[in-house]
Amino acid sequence: MTTLPTPTTPAPDTALGASLLDALRPALPDLSVGALLGFATGVALRHVGRVVLIVVGVLFITLQLLAYFDLITVNWLRLQTLTEPWLRQGSEQGASWLGRVLTANLPFAGAFTAGLLVGLRARV
């Protein structure tokens, strides 16, 4: 005579995980697309940022070489006073503006932001 295994009730953690998955299932397409687009944007910003830094570095080296050979004279204090308001305003408003632009009309802003942060840190 064989005995049949008795049915067991799922563990509370398994039931909770299943109910959470059922609750998230309708949002998964938006979350996955948001995360993917955020990652791609983060990688793109990282590469564009590198190019901008290279251009600024080459410009500085060029100015220093021209000043070294007495072809130009650079008034660094005047340059600082001219650019400081732009840099201060950019640092205060730049991040919030970029966040508004990148998440405008996106229902998946949380996943996008998470993907963006991962993309900025990725070694691609």
Side-chain angles (χ1 to χ4, degrees), residues 2-120:
T2 61
T3 59
L4 296 173
T6 59
T8 59
T9 59
D13 292 335
T14 307
L16 179 63
S19 66
L20 182 63
L21 183 61
D22 290 338
L24 287 177
R25 193 175 308 271
L28 285 179
D30 287 342
L31 292 176
S32 61
V33 170
L36 179 65
L37 292 176
F39 180 78
T41 304
V43 170
L45 283 175
R46 189 167 171 222
H47 288 295
V48 168
R50 283 184 178 174
V51 170
V52 168
L53 287 176
I54 289 171
V55 168
V56 169
V58 168
L59 179 64
F60 175 73
I61 291 170
T62 304
L63 284 175
Q64 285 297 98
L65 282 173
L66 292 173
Y68 176 78
F69 290 115
D70 288 330
L71 296 172
I72 63 169
T73 303
V74 180
N75 186 347
W76 291 110
L77 293 177
R78 178 72 178 140
L79 183 64
Q80 179 183 354
T81 58
L82 288 174
T83 57
E84 196 169 356
W86 290 354
L87 295 175
R88 185 177 299 121
Q89 182 181 3
S91 67
E92 292 170 357
Q93 297 174 358
S96 63
W97 173 81
L98 183 62
R100 283 193 317 270
V101 167
L102 294 178
T103 59
N105 300 323
L106 292 179
F108 45 85
F112 180 86
T113 303
L116 176 72
L117 293 175
V118 169
L120 287 172

